[in-house]
Amino acid sequence: MSNITQTSTPFQETLLPSKAALTAAFVGKKLTDLRTPAAIVDRSLFENNCNIMAEKTEQLGITFRAHVKTHKTTEGLRYQLQAQPGGVTAVVCSTLIECWHIAKSGLVQEGLVKDMLYGLPCGVDKIQDLQSIADSIQPHAVLRLMIDNPGQIGALEAFNSKTGRTTPWSIFIKVDGGGKRAGLPPTSDAMAELIKKAVSSSAVEIFGFYSHFGQSYASQGEEEAAAFFAGEVACVNSAAGVALSLGAKPAKPFTLSIGATPTAHAANQSNSGDLNGKLELHAGCYCCLDLQQVATQLVPLSRVSTSVIAHVISLYPHRSEAMCDAGGIAMAKDLGPIPGYGHVVSPESAVGWELGRVSQEHGTLVRAKGEKGERVRHLELGEVVRIVGQHACMTLAAYPWYYVVEDGGDTVVDVWVPWKGW
């Protein structure tokens, strides 16, 4: 590992479209006047979703960490941070470009962001860049890292030794609760060895334990999601217990960070006793929502704040299908319990059509199965339909900007420009 080259984020070279130019060009236009496919955010719904989550965590007495990976915008993050009651000051990012944009956005200097977690396991080629981010947000905020391999700690030790850094890196240890994405099983030998390495190292200090139950997306109702929530709590609590048994002496109680949007919606206090730390809830898609979240039966379709508009570009009456210009790139190719790649939600008279097949730029609209689909009217060539997709995080990633409406309207009131790159 001694030959690892430290890479940097080309932040200055990542030029984004001009928000001023976009708002001048598009604010006041009707959605039917826009080139499609286009991503739409209803900011009234977005803000309401943020407030609902803030109110829930306030009632539970649990702190919250807002994930920015779904929308990747300063405007959206501001709504997450200023959600009422109470507000949020901790964030988690999936990419270093997100970290850099938050650091440069003014949100840190305003005191809105005080705690930033880089949520991927720490890449050993990115340590110098992480140091630069940490320097840029001090003294207003702290940067924390995610660790799930002893080699990452070794790389941090080597970096500290080489650069003269004496301050330990604040770390979360990632716990695998069965999803097999990142992290280690809480009571495994591998977890014990990782914790021993962390406890004995002067380069890191354990801030807490973090788990994400992506499997909770399969929930069918609050009871199932609550069971996944209980599993998350048990997962990180067990890992923290191992750390305490191995001699860890945290200056403050460990932060036990748990969550995915379904488990965040189903969070409760029934499993909050006898903890080896304090609970923190994290989620990202909660502010946008999508068909995958609707399928959990924890949120209604009426709360989904993001959608895509598309033009109907061809008709195939002989097979009761139509073609729109939102295909696999515009909508993503993720699926879920609800059939199709997306469902038409507007105009109301076209509800009952779904995006049944996609290729790169082609979106095939089919009539949904059942009475609603059989009775839905024919689509017209050139009309604009609004589609809610399966997975907002993947769908929004395709767009250079989002057109913003409010209160279910069809007039553009703002334009948000998402951060691009890694």
Side-chain angles (χ1 to χ4, degrees):
M1 239 175 19
S2 58
N3 295 323
I4 296 293
T5 299
Q6 290 297 306
T7 60
S8 61
T9 302
F11 176 77
Q12 300 297 337
E13 292 75 27
T14 308
L15 299 178
L16 298 176
S18 165
K19 178 181 174 73
L22 290 169
T23 54
F26 295 113
V27 168
K29 286 186 176 294
K30 296 293 185 181
L31 296 186
T32 51
D33 296 332
L34 302 177
R35 171 60 62 89
T36 57
I40 310 300
V41 176
D42 187 316
R43 70 182 180 191
S44 303
L45 292 173
F46 190 103
E47 181 180 18
N48 184 57
N49 288 335
C50 293
N51 290 340
I52 288 172
M53 187 62 72
E55 184 176 359
K56 183 179 186 67
T57 54
E58 176 94 352
Q59 290 173 348
L60 292 174
I62 300 175
T63 57
F64 187 72
R65 184 177 296 270
H67 212 313
V68 303
K69 71 183 182 70
T70 303
H71 59 87
K72 301 175 186 273
T73 65
T74 301
E75 297 91 339
L77 179 55
R78 187 177 290 276
Y79 278 117
Q80 290 177 287
L81 297 171
Q82 295 181 325
Q84 296 300 317
V88 175
T89 59
V91 300
V92 52
C93 307
S94 284
T95 64
L96 290 187
I97 202 74
E98 293 166 25
C99 294
W100 271 116
H101 275 284
I102 293 172
K104 300 293 186 180
S105 67
L107 296 172
V108 173
Q109 290 71 21
E110 290 179 46
L112 294 177
V113 174
K114 297 181 180 179
D115 186 318
M116 183 190 299
L117 168 63
Y118 174 49
L120 258 66
C122 178
V124 297
D125 67 302
K126 299 178 176 68
I127 300 175
Q128 179 59 64
D129 208 19
L130 289 162
Q131 177 68 66
S132 298
I133 293 168
D135 289 342
S136 73
I137 63 176
Q138 290 178 350
H140 308 287
V142 62
L143 177 69
R144 307 192 196 280
L145 308 184
M146 190 78 76
I147 299 295
D148 68 355
N149 186 282
Q152 296 156 351
I153 298 176
L156 293 170
E157 290 173 335
F159 176 85
N160 284 12
S161 176
K162 181 178 180 179
T163 62
R165 174 181 169 128
T166 57
T167 304
W169 295 86
S170 178
I171 66 169
F172 275 100
I173 290 180
K174 186 66 177 283
V175 189
D176 177 13
K180 295 182 171 62
R181 184 170 76 173
L184 299 173
T187 58
S188 64
D189 291 343
M191 176 61 80
E193 290 304 311
L194 176 60
I195 291 172
K196 288 177 184 177
K197 175 70 172 176
V199 169
S200 65
S201 176
S202 61
V204 300
E205 59 182 12
I206 303 173
F207 180 75
F209 294 83
Y210 186 107
S211 188
H212 170 75
F213 268 40
Q215 58 268 43
S216 66
Y217 278 56
S219 301
Q220 294 288 306
E222 187 164 358
E223 184 176 347
E224 290 185 15
F228 281 118
F229 173 76
E232 285 182 320
V233 173
C235 176
V236 291
N237 195 49
S238 294
V242 171
L244 293 173
S245 72
L246 291 174
K249 294 180 174 58
K252 297 180 179 179
F254 288 132
T255 293
L256 309 179
S257 193
I258 53 177
T261 294
T263 54
H265 283 139
N268 56 64
Q269 294 177 313
S270 61
N271 296 91
S272 59
D274 300 322
L275 294 178
N276 297 311
K278 60 176 184 178
L279 288 181
E280 171 190 89
L281 204 59
H282 58 256
C285 194
Y286 70 98
C287 50
C288 296
L289 303 176
D290 49 36
L291 287 185
Q292 290 185 351
Q293 299 301 330
V294 172
T296 66
Q297 302 174 35
L298 297 167
V299 294
L301 184 62
S302 60
R303 276 184 53 193
V304 177
S305 67
T306 54
S307 57
V308 170
I309 56 170
H311 275 89
V312 176
I313 58 174
S314 194
L315 304 171
Y316 310 102
H318 61 288
R319 62 179 195 242
S320 296
E321 294 182 348
M323 180 73 65
C324 72
D325 56 6
I329 291 179
M331 297 301 303
K333 300 186 80 170
D334 284 5
L335 292 170
I338 295 175
Y341 295 91
H343 279 216
V344 173
V345 296
S346 178
E348 187 175 349
S349 60
V351 173
W353 286 91
E354 65 185 42
L355 197 60
R357 302 189 301 278
V358 295
S359 53
Q360 183 169 331
E361 304 298 346
H362 300 68
T364 303
L365 293 164
V366 303
R367 295 185 183 191
K369 294 180 179 179
E371 183 180 354
K372 178 185 287 188
E374 292 166 1
R375 297 176 60 187
V376 70
R377 70 165 172 85
H378 293 290
L379 296 174
E380 298 178 8
L381 195 65
E383 77 170 299
V384 175
V385 294
R386 197 162 171 179
I387 305 169
V388 169
Q390 287 283 0
H391 189 180
C393 308
M394 298 294 285
T395 298
L396 292 178
Y399 291 89
W401 57 81
Y402 316 142
Y403 298 102
V404 179
V405 298
E406 58 185 358
D407 296 324
D410 62 354
T411 301
V412 178
V413 298
D414 198 5
V415 181
W416 294 357
V417 179
W419 313 316
K420 295 295 184 182
W422 287 269

